[in-house]
Amino acid sequence: SADSDYEAYELRCAELEKLNEGYLEEFDEWLAATGLKDKTIAGHVDNVAFFLNHFLQYYDALPMEEGPAHIDEFLGDWFIRKAMWSSAATIRQTAASLKKFYKCMYEKGHVGQADLDEVLSIVKQNLNKWVKAYQDYEDYYSQDFPF
């Protein structure tokens, strides 16, 4: 039934959030070891937590390992429409956070080299497109519509 499907989805999301918590703790420690300021670290961790616990669970309960394949959709569309704080700057910051996160996950053995390469390549190829998509979205919705 639809109810049991939804319950299964909710259970899976709860499991993933627990796993993600561990990944985010590792990421926090990994960033701290590089000497970044606490505020900078907190920003990166928050950006990645939003991706893992909100976006990857929005349509389906997807694990962190499947994240790389969804970064383009996330930063090029979903983040722009769903995050009230989206801006050209927050798109760039979140892209940087995701690159660092997947580098950490690679170094800790949670994802493979191909996953890390995919993240780096996707960000490099699409960052300007994402910023332009944000600007187009803003331009469209900031126009004064006559009533």
Side-chain angles (χ1 to χ4, degrees), residues 33 35 142-143:
S142 63
Q143 290 169 4

Side-chain angles (χ1 to χ4, degrees), residues 26-37:
E26 283 184 82
F27 183 45
D28 190 298
E29 290 162 14
W30 185 84
L31 290 169
T34 67
L36 290 175
K37 292 186 176 127

Side-chain angles (χ1 to χ4, degrees), residues 13 16 21 28 31 33-34 49 53 55 57-58 71 74 88 92 99 107 109 112 114 118 121 123 125 127 135 138:
C13 287
L16 289 172
E21 204 176 297
D28 190 298
L31 290 169
T34 67
N53 294 328
F55 173 72
Q57 296 182 22
Y58 193 77
I71 290 175
F74 173 62
R92 287 191 181 95
K99 284 181 4 183
E107 287 182 11
E118 183 180 6
S121 162
V123 171
Q125 290 172 5
L127 187 58
Q135 288 162 341
E138 264 306 284

Side-chain angles (χ1 to χ4, degrees), residues 20 23 48 51-52 55-56 62-76 94-95 97-106 110-126 129-130:
N20 292 343
Y23 297 138
V48 174
F51 174 71
L52 296 176
F55 173 72
L56 288 181
L62 299 175
M64 173 278 290
E65 296 83 353
E66 289 185 39
H70 298 276
I71 290 175
D72 185 32
E73 178 192 355
F74 173 62
L75 285 174
T94 303
S97 299
L98 289 169
K99 284 181 4 183
K100 288 180 190 306
F101 175 72
Y102 279 100
K103 184 172 195 296
C104 169
M105 292 296 99
Y106 167 70
H110 298 306
V111 299
Q113 179 74 55
D115 297 306
L116 175 59
D117 291 347
E118 183 180 6
V119 171
L120 298 176
S121 162
I122 286 168
V123 171
K124 188 176 180 181
Q125 290 172 5
N126 294 292
K129 182 188 85 173
W130 299 332

Side-chain angles (χ1 to χ4, degrees), residues 132-145:
K132 175 150 182 15
Y134 167 77
Q135 288 162 341
D136 291 346
Y137 183 84
E138 264 306 284
D139 289 347
Y140 181 80
Y141 285 102
S142 63
Q143 290 169 4
D144 288 329
F145 290 105

